[in-house]
Amino acid sequence: MELVTAYNVTDIRKDFPILNQTVHGKPLVYFDNAATTQKPLPVIQALTEYYQGYNANIHRGIHTLAEKATAEYEGTREAARQFINAAQREEIIFTRGTTEGINLVAASFGRAFIKAGDEIIISTMEHHSNIVPWQMLCEETGAKLSVIPITDEGDIILEEYEKLLSEKTKMVALVYVSNSLGTINPVKQVIDLAHGYGARVLVDGAQATAHLDIDVQALDCDFYVFSSHKMYGPTGVGVLYGKKALLEAMPPYQGGGEMIKDVSFERTTYNELPYKFEAGTPNIADTVAFKAALQYVNNIGKAAIGEYEQELLAYGTEALSGIPGLRIIGQAREKISVISFRVEGIHHQDIGIILDTQGIAVRTGHHCTQPLMQRFGIPGTSRASFAMYNTKEEIDRLVQGLHKVRKMFA
Ligand code: PLP
């Protein structure tokens, strides 16, 4: 019989030393996980071990430290491959994060395959990182950018999406999970519909990868991008997954060391995948430590984490809904544990500042989704986003905090 360890949030919290502190004299409540998550001890230890034990440049060295560093770096590639169930390690390209992954695809795929008159489709709820690179490409090429509208609840309107699709569509770039609304988009349906027109699909997995089971082969997406720092790993590392045949057909993104096979002044030939897209010395330490984050999540189990976070979402949604004047922005059919809200008559910035004085960290503003805020006719929201280590008691603290905020403005 398989042994199932009960989800023990108290034990999990012990692995995150940063949580055990006071801010303005109050125990920290960290609800800014959609911006970046905190790091467990194995990740912090992996960073220290790398710098204390085997810091060396990778791939070209023949000495022991270089070989160890290379093995660990490539070990993360294999761990990331398994984490999203990519078919081959060559399909895993290390980047600085989601933003760089999208820029890479827009620049490289765009240069090779997108021309004037072609169309690119995104949605109303995209992060600026999945808007601006496509706008830049459209400006350069004369391609057209179209936007899938959303409902007042925060779901994309699939029928409207279907109307935008045509033989001219070359790329659909969609966020899997909205950082501002929490919406889980029906990406599989979006992908299948796009493929019906021969279009390629890039999935922005920045918010999805820590919360949902990801299987890029089952999704059949052409590109999938995500960031380590939003899933308990270090900042400055991310992954671009791309189907091998597509990556092979795409020109390099940056030129330099590592991405070449042979260089002469007459002609340069390029390295094979994945190195063709990894010019220069990469972020070795953080990439190595990212493996510890992937292992940490695997050990606890995505299903258990997801179930627990849904409990927090349900609890938080009910608790916050009871606060007079509070309106939740984003009530999609399927959501991850993100609650964006506005409180009547109180600016989101004031809410954030006052909550901070009580030790509660939330994010306020447009969350890098200005067009989405325009869709709702609001300048911004306050956002509480929950991770595997948050608790219902912390949500109670947020509710008490918001009551205090309201009293101050009464
Ligand atoms: N896409 C989404 C949905 C995000 O939430 C974010 C970050 O907040 C990004 C893209 C950009 O990620 P990064 O800053 O790690 O490149």
Side-chain angles (χ1 to χ4, degrees):
M1 203 179 77
E2 205 180 319
L3 269 178
V4 181
T5 322
Y7 194 89
N8 189 333
V9 72
T10 311
D11 280 352
I12 290 173
R13 288 178 71 84
K14 287 183 195 146
D15 290 334
F16 291 83
I18 201 170
L19 298 175
N20 187 24
Q21 65 173 296
T22 53
V23 170
H24 298 300
K26 313 270 167 48
L28 168 68
V29 172
Y30 186 78
F31 279 164
D32 195 16
N33 296 288
T36 199
T37 53
Q38 300 302 347
K39 321 303 171 200
L41 281 169
V43 170
I44 299 166
Q45 279 157 2
L47 278 171
T48 311
E49 279 166 21
Y50 170 77
Y51 281 122
Q52 287 189 344
Y54 57 97
N55 170 47
N57 212 331
I58 53 171
H59 291 140
R60 289 167 302 276
I62 46 144
H63 59 81
T64 304
L65 295 194
E67 281 181 359
K68 164 92 170 140
T70 303
E72 294 293 332
Y73 180 86
E74 290 302 325
T76 302
R77 200 187 304 279
E78 174 55 20
R81 183 196 71 71
Q82 287 177 20
F83 202 82
I84 59 169
N85 194 33
Q88 305 175 59
R89 61 178 285 286
E90 290 87 348
E91 297 179 319
I92 303 294
I93 314 289
F94 287 124
T95 62
R96 281 194 303 123
T98 304
T99 304
E100 192 178 49
I102 298 169
N103 275 278
L104 191 162
V105 175
S108 168
F109 178 88
R111 210 183 305 152
F113 299 111
I114 295 188
K115 53 183 191 324
D118 288 344
E119 295 185 4
I120 298 165
I121 298 177
I122 59 173
S123 85
T124 307
M125 66 178 89
E126 298 310 317
H127 189 279
H128 295 162
S129 294
N130 203 25
I131 301 173
V132 184
W134 304 113
Q135 281 177 329
M136 287 161 62
L137 179 64
C138 287
E139 261 173 42
E140 253 174 67
T141 58
K144 184 183 149 208
L145 192 66
S146 306
V147 182
I148 311 169
I150 61 169
T151 64
D152 290 342
E153 287 72 35
D155 285 300
I156 59 163
I157 306 172
L158 273 173
E159 306 80 64
E160 295 298 323
Y161 165 56
E162 286 195 66
K163 286 185 208 157
L164 294 175
L165 281 167
S166 78
E167 306 298 333
K168 289 185 191 162
T169 312
K170 291 291 174 293
M171 173 64 74
V172 177
L174 183 74
V175 70
Y176 198 157
V177 168
S178 159
N179 60 314
S180 296
L181 305 174
T183 306
I184 303 174
N185 279 315
V187 285
K188 178 65 184 151
Q189 263 173 293
V190 168
I191 292 163
D192 289 347
L193 286 164
H195 284 170
Y197 290 87
R200 301 297 180 183
V201 183
L202 176 142
V203 176
D204 171 355
Q207 296 294 339
T209 317
H211 305 280
L212 309 176
D213 234 348
I214 307 298
D215 184 335
V216 290
Q217 292 186 76
L219 284 177
D220 196 25
C221 52
D222 299 287
F223 301 101
Y224 187 94
V225 287
F226 60 103
S227 303
S228 145
H229 73 97
K230 292 190 192 285
M231 45 189 303
Y232 312 104
T235 52
V237 192
V239 168
L240 159 66
Y241 157 82
K243 284 182 181 164
K244 193 173 171 191
L246 278 172
L247 292 174
E248 270 172 347
M250 284 159 51
Y253 175 50
Q254 293 180 327
E258 196 57 42
M259 52 73 72
I260 54 91
K261 191 169 264 152
D262 277 303
V263 178
S264 72
F265 285 123
E266 289 71 40
R267 186 167 173 268
T268 291
T269 52
Y270 303 127
N271 206 341
E272 60 211 19
L273 291 173
Y275 312 110
K276 184 173 90 173
F277 291 108
E278 293 180 4
T281 300
N283 184 351
I284 305 166
D286 292 310
T287 306
V288 165
F290 181 28
K291 182 170 59 213
L294 295 170
Q295 282 165 350
Y296 189 84
V297 171
N298 283 338
N299 287 347
I300 294 173
K302 273 275 189 79
I305 295 170
E307 206 176 304
Y308 179 71
E309 289 174 341
Q310 283 299 318
E311 231 180 275
L312 292 180
L313 174 67
Y315 186 82
T317 303
E318 197 183 330
L320 264 65
S321 302
I323 296 173
L326 187 144
R327 177 163 69 106
I328 293 177
I329 310 292
Q331 313 238 30
R333 284 184 287 262
E334 282 193 77
K335 279 182 70 173
I336 60 145
S337 46
V338 165
I339 305 179
S340 255
F341 59 91
R342 289 182 60 77
V343 181
E344 211 181 331
I346 310 175
H347 196 276
H348 51 261
Q349 199 106 2
D350 293 328
I351 294 175
I353 292 167
I354 298 166
L355 287 177
D356 181 60
T357 64
Q358 298 169 49
I360 303 167
V362 297
R363 182 135 306 231
T364 60
H366 54 62
H367 316 298
C368 295
T369 53
Q370 279 184 319
L372 178 65
M373 296 298 129
Q374 285 153 19
R375 159 66 179 81
F376 283 102
I378 54 178
T381 72
S382 305
R383 180 185 70 187
S385 49
F386 312 133
M388 63 157 98
Y389 39 66
N390 289 125
T391 64
K392 289 182 183 169
E393 291 71 34
E394 289 182 311
I395 294 175
D396 293 341
R397 289 260 318 273
L398 173 65
V399 171
Q400 287 158 15
L402 287 168
H403 280 303
K404 277 194 195 147
V405 173
R406 282 194 71 249
K407 265 200 200 129
M408 289 174 76
F409 282 83

